[in-house]
Amino acid sequence: MKNEHEHTAAVTRLAIADANTLLREGLNGLLSQAKELFLAGEAANEGETMDLIEQTKPDVLLLDLHIPKLEAVPILLAIKEQNLSTEVWLLVLAPDESRLLNCDRAGARGYILKST
């Protein structure tokens, strides 16, 4: 991905929030090939995720549905409360219909299976 000095307005600012370092590094490596993406930051837990959103205001947030010490719904609601245009895509091991429905109601755009 582009570094911060190469960031332009036409680039999508992407943030990744997942406790699994290997997954974050893998996504970063995979997505770094796309010139239209800029990695705004990564987070591994509740505090880091909220700070990341507030500081970088990403266009897209890939959010682990089960990030430690934090549920996805409060993050989605915080994004709404701050009137951010961040699209949130949930990263899931397996679809959990009840949790996904709650996240959908709170504003999630959809989900991506981690196995994908």
Side-chain angles (χ1 to χ4, degrees):
M1 290 191 195
K2 294 184 175 215
N3 65 38
E4 192 161 2
H5 301 292
E6 297 175 58
H7 175 69
T8 64
V11 173
T12 299
R13 296 174 52 80
L14 175 74
I16 302 169
D18 194 290
N20 186 316
T21 303
L22 199 55
L23 180 83
R24 288 193 321 269
E25 289 175 357
L27 283 172
N28 188 356
L30 178 68
L31 299 172
S32 68
Q33 305 304 313
K35 294 178 182 174
E36 64 276 3
L37 295 177
F38 166 74
L39 182 61
E42 297 179 13
N45 60 44
E46 172 184 10
E48 290 178 10
T49 300
M50 296 308 291
D51 288 346
L52 177 65
I53 293 166
E54 291 170 7
Q55 293 172 8
T56 66
K57 295 177 179 42
D59 300 311
V60 176
L61 173 65
L62 299 180
L63 174 65
D64 182 2
L65 181 61
H66 301 289
I67 196 161
K69 300 180 183 176
L70 185 65
E71 292 293 319
V73 170
I75 289 179
L76 292 161
L77 294 176
I79 289 170
K80 274 186 179 180
E81 287 173 10
Q82 295 177 31
N83 292 318
L84 299 175
S85 60
T86 303
E87 288 187 13
V88 179
W89 288 85
L90 302 168
L91 299 171
V92 300
L93 286 173
D96 176 336
E97 289 185 33
S98 173
R99 292 184 90 175
L100 289 173
L101 184 59
N102 289 336
C103 290
D104 179 59
R105 289 180 183 140
R109 297 283 297 183
Y111 70 92
I112 303 166
L113 290 174
K114 290 184 180 185
S115 61
T116 302

